[in-house]
């Protein structure tokens, strides 16, 4: 069944090409349906005023307030040397606080006439500080008149509640409101994805009614009704997609893989120099039980950095090799693939020397396959895969290529799932004669609801014990702008660590070579504060030079980043691991899997440019040996900013699950889900993954029941339509990511 044409209508036909272009480029809105699902962020009551006292720094805000006074000043400047320069200063108030607006030059005339004391209006702009006072420079504004003169009638604001939309500098909230009023009649044609029985049983309003009430509420109860309904929509459609996926997986056949009694796994366990933690044993049992069944395992293994996930995954791989199959581990970067290969070969010793002189009786071959290998080495590796000579294969995306053939693929282990889309997982799985078992590992702790939302097609195991002998890590925020001497002290601390025989990392957000154009990058930045930053993020190549000639002069400083040749990267890492380099200045290529126990200090420059979970990941690279670790988060953001609050949260707790909750609460939900799924499933607009845990859990049950009774959803055309739209978006984003 086709989507309802009215909701599929392109916005350029309805609103004109100019407005539609801004909506597409800045808000990702392309059709009438997209615009109807662009919900207000909050509402203003015409009788009440907003809290100017709580304005966030450096964010684009919309406020409703009253003009207290307006003064026109003239001044001399280079452009107007005779004192003809004009500046209009308007003070607005809302009862809780005051805010200054400033207009300059020719821009003063219109507001000087219109913004008279007592006038009420909506103002939109970016909050900045001037002379220690908050201000909006050249804000856009819309007068709120109480009469019906001109086109801007009170009627156009629909009722007593004014919706404020997520807006951009190019498109203010009230312009969005007008565009939505234009398309609102189409809401009547929205097809309802919820089964009638579910909707009636929970007392939810219909979809057309919910869309009408969220955009044109007359009372607060209207907003509550609409949000309750739209949250259910999002939760249910998403869980139905996951339930169908799980259902499809259970229909697939798989070869049960049971380890031999005295095979490779036993030989490996016998040579381990330590005993497994209780957590590792429990998780291993869950995995072995899944591997023994005749439909494919789909399991997510979560574990803090250093909790021993790789060991658990390796034991699963050895069990599969024992049963005659092959196992493959897919890593997101070449550096990490090489590192995994080295550590697996080290852990296995002579058990990794299959087919070689001196190899143990049960030994197998462990092969590395990456995109940058030489032709001869690559041919050799591909041959070992095809003949089954290689029991264990470790590699990057290169493993997904068509040319790569396996003899009998039994298990796929994906490291750091949030770097892989669902489709990439499927491409690799398609290489088995029958679908192989799947184990996904992540070191990013994921709250239960996010696991249900993003990884809802996987069963979950959690490794939450750290092996004995891991050292504590102290974390501190270094406010470089407020207290420059703190940064000097940070470099002294690095020198102290090095003079004590240890090593340090310095992490920067950018590489700093010609291809790394900050203008291009600006569009991809993560948080609103980033837009506020006029200077580009600090770059590895610049910082390394400044440190080597300045505060770290005399120390051996090297750089590492993703655009270096793989051999060069490997050589730098080897020198650092061997202790020949004192300080490694790097991008986030070190975020995952790089293991240097002698590295005890990390300085993260422009730490506000990284997400909370990413900072936690990075910090996990130090304190891996017996000496305590130190992580310094350097930021120029002002104390009151949301970015600094994020950094304070990272500095104050070591609990990854707690941090991931903070991450979710502080960032847009879609960012977090997007990061976790390579851009897919970011369609959550009103559903808050942390707050709405109950709705998600209930929706999961309802969706599972609906799919079990009718896997093809023949009786629910509205749900099928909604799923097609969701999955189209998912596929489209996957293709864009390539």
């Amino acid at each position: 069944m086709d989507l309802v044409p009215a909701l599929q209508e392109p916005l350029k036909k309805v609103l004109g090409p100019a407005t539609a272009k801004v909506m597409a480029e800045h808000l990702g809105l392309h059709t009438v349906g997209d615009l109807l699902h662009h919900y207000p962020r909050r509402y203003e009551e015409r009788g009440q005023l907003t809290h100017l006292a709580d304005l966030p720094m450096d964010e684009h805000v919309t406020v409703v307030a009253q003009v207290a006074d307006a003064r026109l000043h003239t001044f001399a400047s280079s452009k107007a040397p005779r004192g003809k320069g004009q500046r209009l200063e308007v003070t607005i108030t809302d009862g809780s606080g005051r805010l200054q607006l400033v207009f300059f030059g020719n821009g003063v005339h219109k507001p000087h006439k219109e913004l008279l004391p007592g006038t009420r209006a909506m103002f939109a702009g970016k909050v900045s500080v001037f002379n220690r006072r908050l201000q909006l420079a050249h804000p856009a504004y819309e007068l709120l008149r109480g009469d019906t003169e001109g086109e801007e009638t009170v009627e156009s604001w629909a009722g007593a509640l004014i919706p404020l939309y997520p807006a951009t500098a190019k498109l203010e909230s009230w312009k969005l409101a007008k565009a939505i009023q234009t398309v609102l009649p189409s809401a009547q044609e929205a097809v309802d994805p919820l089964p009638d029985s579910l909707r009636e049983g929970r007392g939810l309003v219909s979809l057309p009614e919910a869309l009408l009430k969220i955009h044109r509420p007359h009372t607060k109860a209207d907003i509550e009704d609409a949000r309750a309904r739209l949250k259910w929509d999002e939760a249910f459609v998403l869980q139905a997609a996951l339930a169908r996926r799980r259902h499809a997986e259970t229909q697939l056949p798989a070869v049960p893989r049971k380890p031999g009694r005295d095979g490779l796994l036993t030989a490996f366990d016998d040579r381990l120099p330590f005993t497994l933690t209780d957590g590792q044993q429990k998780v291993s049992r869950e995995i072995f039980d899944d591997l023994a069944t005749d439909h494919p395992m789909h399991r997510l293994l979560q574990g803090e950095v250093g909790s021993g996930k790789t060991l658990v995954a390796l034991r699963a791989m050895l069990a599969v090799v024992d049963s005659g199959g092959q196992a493959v581990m897919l890593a997101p970067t070449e550096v990490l693939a090489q590192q995994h290969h080295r550590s697996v070969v080290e852990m296995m010793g002579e058990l990794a020397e299959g087919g070689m002189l001196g190899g143990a009786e049960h030994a197998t071959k462990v092969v590395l396959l990456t995109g940058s290998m030489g032709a001869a080495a690559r041919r050799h590796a591909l041959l070992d895969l095809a003949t089954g000579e290689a029991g264990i294969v470790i590699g990057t995306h290169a493993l997904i290529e068509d040319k790569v053939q396996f003899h009998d693929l039994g298990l796929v282990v994906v490291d750091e799932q949030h770097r892989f889309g669902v489709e990439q997982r499927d491409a690799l799985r398609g290489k088995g004669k029958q679908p192989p078992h799947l184990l996904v590992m992540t070191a990013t702790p994921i709250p239960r609801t996010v696991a249900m939302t993003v990884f809802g097609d996987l069963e979950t195991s959690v490794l939450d014990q750290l092996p004995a002998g891991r050292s504590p890590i102290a974390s501190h925020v270094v406010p470089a702008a407020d207290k420059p001497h703190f940064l000097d002290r940070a470099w002294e601390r690095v020198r102290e660590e090095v003079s004590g025989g240890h090593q340090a990392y310095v992490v920067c957000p950018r590489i700093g070579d010609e291809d790394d154009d900050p203008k291009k990058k600006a569009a991809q930045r993560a948080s609103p504060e980033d837009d506020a930053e006029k200077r580009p993020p600090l770059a590895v190549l610049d910082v390394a030079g400044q440190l080597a000639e300045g505060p770290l002069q005399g120390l051996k400083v090297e750089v590492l980043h993703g655009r270096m040749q793989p051999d060069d990267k490997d050589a730098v890492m080897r020198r650092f691991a061997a202790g020949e380099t004192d300080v490694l200045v790097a991008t986030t290529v070190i975020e995952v899997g790089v293991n240097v126990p002698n590295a005890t200090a990390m300085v993260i420059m422009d730490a506000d440019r990284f997400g909370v979970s990413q900072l936690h990941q990075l910090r996990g690279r130090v304190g891996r040996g017996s000496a305590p670790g130190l992580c310094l988060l350097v930021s120029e953001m002002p104390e009151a900013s949301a970015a600094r609050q994020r950094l304070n949260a990272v500095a104050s707790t070591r609990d990854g699950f707690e941090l991931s909750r903070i991450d979710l609460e502080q960032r847009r939900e879609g960012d977090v889900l997007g990061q976790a799924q390579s851009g897919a499933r970011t369609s959550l607009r009103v559903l808050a993954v942390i707050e709405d845990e109950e709705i998600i859990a209930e929706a999961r049950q309802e969706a599972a029941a609906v799919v079990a009774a009718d896997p093809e959803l023949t009786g629910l055309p509205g749900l099928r339509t909604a799923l097609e739209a969701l999955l189209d978006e998912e596929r489209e984003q996957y293709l864009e990511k390539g």
Side-chain angles (χ1 to χ4, degrees):
M1 170 186 159
D2 288 328
L3 274 170
V4 176
L7 297 196
Q8 267 195 319
E9 191 80 38
L11 287 173
K12 61 171 174 270
K13 278 194 178 169
V14 187
L15 303 173
T19 307
K21 185 170 186 242
V22 176
M23 287 192 178
E25 284 177 7
H26 293 275
L27 295 166
L29 307 174
H30 303 278
T31 64
V32 168
D34 292 343
L35 185 54
L36 286 174
H37 287 295
H38 187 72
Y39 308 132
R41 178 177 285 163
R42 57 193 177 84
Y43 302 84
E44 282 305 342
E45 291 181 66
R46 201 161 286 135
Q48 281 184 350
L49 296 167
T50 46
H51 292 295
L52 290 181
D54 312 333
L55 285 183
M57 271 286 297
D58 287 329
E59 290 202 15
H60 201 86
V61 297
T62 304
V63 295
V64 176
Q66 191 158 354
V67 177
D69 66 55
R71 293 186 186 158
L72 191 61
H73 302 273
T74 52
F75 59 91
S77 71
S78 57
K79 287 184 181 165
R82 294 194 188 149
K84 293 286 175 60
Q86 290 191 309
R87 180 173 79 248
L88 176 66
E89 289 181 4
V90 178
T91 306
I92 59 173
T93 177
D94 68 351
S96 77
R98 296 166 87 80
L99 179 67
Q100 182 122 0
L101 316 178
V102 288
F103 300 87
F104 293 101
N106 295 335
V108 303
H109 305 306
K110 186 168 178 271
H112 190 215
K113 281 205 303 247
E114 294 183 335
L115 297 179
L116 305 172
T119 307
R120 297 195 40 158
M122 296 169 85
F123 301 92
K126 187 166 280 184
V127 183
S128 58
V129 172
F130 181 72
N131 281 346
R132 302 201 151 195
R133 291 169 67 190
L134 292 183
Q135 72 166 27
L136 297 182
H138 280 284
Y141 63 89
E142 176 90 348
L143 301 178
L144 293 177
R145 295 194 178 93
D147 56 6
T148 53
E149 64 182 58
E151 291 174 32
E152 303 303 324
T153 59
V154 175
E155 252 330 282
S156 74
W157 294 104
L161 291 161
I162 302 169
L164 297 187
Y165 289 90
T168 73
K170 292 267 194 321
L171 200 67
E172 291 90 8
S173 171
W174 52 85
K175 289 185 181 161
L176 275 161
K178 284 177 189 162
I180 286 166
Q181 292 303 326
T182 308
V183 301
L184 206 49
S186 305
Q188 294 303 334
E189 300 190 38
V191 180
D192 206 318
L194 294 189
D196 293 344
S197 56
L198 188 156
R199 202 179 74 226
E200 286 154 16
R202 293 181 183 275
L204 300 168
V205 300
S206 71
L207 182 55
E209 191 181 340
L211 290 171
L212 214 58
K213 282 183 167 176
I214 199 137
H215 292 298
R216 289 184 81 159
H218 293 294
T219 62
K220 288 183 176 170
D222 283 353
I223 300 169
E224 289 309 306
D225 286 351
R227 289 180 71 83
R229 162 61 215 243
L230 294 167
K231 281 182 177 192
W232 255 96
D233 262 23
E234 290 179 7
F236 183 74
V237 171
L238 190 52
Q239 293 302 335
L242 295 166
R244 284 187 82 183
R245 210 177 153 76
R246 285 196 305 276
H247 178 81
E249 307 287 12
T250 58
Q251 305 306 302
L252 297 172
V255 179
R257 306 284 180 176
K258 296 177 185 167
R261 181 156 292 165
D262 288 317
L264 187 53
L265 180 62
T266 311
F268 176 76
D269 285 348
D270 288 346
R271 52 171 287 134
L272 279 179
F274 50 82
T275 52
L276 299 177
T277 64
D278 294 345
Q280 286 173 324
Q281 289 179 350
K282 174 178 162 284
V283 170
S284 286
R285 277 197 299 277
E286 290 171 353
I287 292 171
F288 290 150
D289 288 348
D290 282 0
L291 287 173
T293 62
D294 56 8
H295 59 84
M297 162 171 86
H298 292 99
R299 191 165 281 282
L300 173 69
L301 172 56
Q302 294 187 56
E304 284 278 13
V305 173
S307 57
K309 293 184 303 298
T310 311
L311 178 62
V312 168
L314 177 55
R315 292 183 73 242
M317 293 165 86
L318 295 172
V320 168
V321 176
D322 255 355
S323 71
Q326 289 169 294
V328 54
M329 182 184 273
L330 196 52
T333 64
E334 297 217 348
V335 170
L336 189 55
Q338 288 159 346
Q339 170 116 12
H340 274 319
H341 182 252
R342 269 202 301 280
S343 58
V344 164
V345 168
E346 276 165 25
M347 281 197 270
M348 287 177 65
E350 73 271 15
L351 295 173
E353 294 171 0
M356 293 187 231
L357 280 172
E361 176 196 352
H362 298 292
T364 186
K365 212 180 223 184
V366 180
V367 167
L368 177 69
L369 185 67
T370 63
S372 63
M373 287 169 72
R378 188 177 168 76
R379 247 195 328 274
H380 205 84
L382 289 172
L383 190 64
D384 285 342
L385 264 61
T387 59
E389 188 84 6
I392 292 179
V393 188
I394 296 167
T396 55
H397 289 74
L399 284 166
I400 300 174
E401 288 175 16
D402 289 345
K403 295 192 200 74
V404 180
Q405 298 296 327
F406 292 89
H407 177 65
D408 179 13
L409 183 57
L411 170 67
V412 175
V413 178
V414 179
D415 191 14
E416 288 306 313
Q417 159 71 10
H418 63 272
R419 312 260 176 129
F420 287 101
V422 167
E423 278 81 357
Q424 288 156 302
R425 237 160 62 182
D426 290 348
L428 192 57
R429 289 224 306 263
K431 293 191 173 294
K433 295 188 174 67
Q434 284 200 325
H437 299 279
L438 176 71
L439 179 66
V440 168
M441 299 197 295
T442 178
T444 309
I446 303 167
R448 172 174 166 263
T449 42
V450 182
M452 281 198 298
T453 308
V454 181
F455 303 112
D457 51 340
L458 304 171
E459 299 296 325
T460 306
S461 295
V462 180
L463 271 179
D464 46 14
Q465 275 176 302
L466 286 187
R470 288 301 297 268
S471 304
I473 302 173
S475 303
H476 304 284
V477 178
V478 177
D482 313 348
K483 300 177 179 165
H485 59 287
F486 275 37
L487 185 57
D488 299 339
R489 177 71 189 115
W491 300 126
E492 283 171 27
R493 284 290 290 113
V494 169
R495 293 193 84 98
E496 285 163 18
E497 289 296 313
V498 172
S499 63
H502 296 296
Q503 294 158 276
Y505 296 102
V506 177
V507 181
C508 303
R510 202 162 61 89
I511 296 172
D513 57 8
E514 311 59 83
D515 301 342
D516 199 35
D517 180 355
K519 289 195 187 70
K520 281 188 221 155
K521 291 287 179 202
Q524 303 166 8
R525 300 205 190 129
S527 64
E529 291 94 334
D530 296 336
D531 297 333
E533 289 282 10
K534 293 295 176 277
R535 67 165 175 78
L538 290 172
V540 167
L541 300 177
D542 304 338
V543 169
Q546 289 158 11
L547 291 177
E549 290 164 21
L552 301 185
Q553 200 168 6
L555 301 187
K556 180 99 169 67
V557 177
E558 287 212 70
V559 300
L560 179 71
H561 59 76
R563 270 207 287 276
M564 288 164 63
Q565 287 302 314
D567 291 352
D568 296 343
K569 277 192 281 201
D570 211 32
V572 168
M573 270 319 302
R574 279 179 194 277
R575 285 196 292 277
F576 190 64
E580 295 164 23
T581 308
D582 299 320
V583 179
L584 187 61
V585 183
T587 55
T588 53
V589 291
I590 60 149
E591 176 188 355
V592 181
V594 174
N595 185 16
V596 181
N598 192 44
T600 53
M602 176 178 285
V603 182
I604 303 178
M605 306 303 290
D606 279 346
D608 47 273
R609 309 273 177 143
F610 299 98
V612 169
S613 294
Q614 196 172 28
L615 290 169
H616 181 60
Q617 287 281 96
L618 285 164
R619 168 171 65 183
R621 299 292 119 220
V622 295
R624 298 176 76 87
S626 53
L630 173 70
C631 179
L632 301 174
L633 306 165
V634 179
S635 171
E636 291 186 2
M637 294 305 279
E639 183 130 19
S641 63
R644 273 285 284 283
Q645 288 162 16
R646 275 206 312 268
L647 297 182
N648 292 340
V650 175
S652 63
T653 179
R654 284 280 299 126
D655 179 345
F657 283 93
E658 175 57 26
L659 283 175
S660 64
R661 285 185 81 91
I662 291 167
D663 204 4
L664 267 176
E665 283 159 8
Q666 291 204 339
R667 290 163 60 191
R668 289 204 335 273
E669 218 84 28
D671 292 347
V672 179
L673 298 180
Q675 181 202 10
Q677 260 301 37
S678 294
R681 299 185 189 157
T682 56
S683 53
L684 301 194
R685 294 179 178 91
V686 282
L687 191 70
V689 171
I690 292 289
E691 291 163 34
D692 298 322
E693 188 161 337
E694 277 178 39
I695 294 179
I696 292 169
E698 287 174 27
R700 186 179 167 114
Q701 283 182 328
E702 294 271 12
V706 164
V707 169
D710 178 9
E712 293 304 306
L713 304 178
T714 39
L716 293 167
L719 178 57
R720 284 225 319 265
T721 298
L723 282 174
E724 281 161 18
L726 175 75
L727 298 171
D728 273 354
E729 188 181 336
E730 201 173 291
R731 275 197 289 272
E732 195 179 298
Q733 285 170 331
Y734 166 71
L735 292 171
E736 280 170 14
K737 292 241 180 323

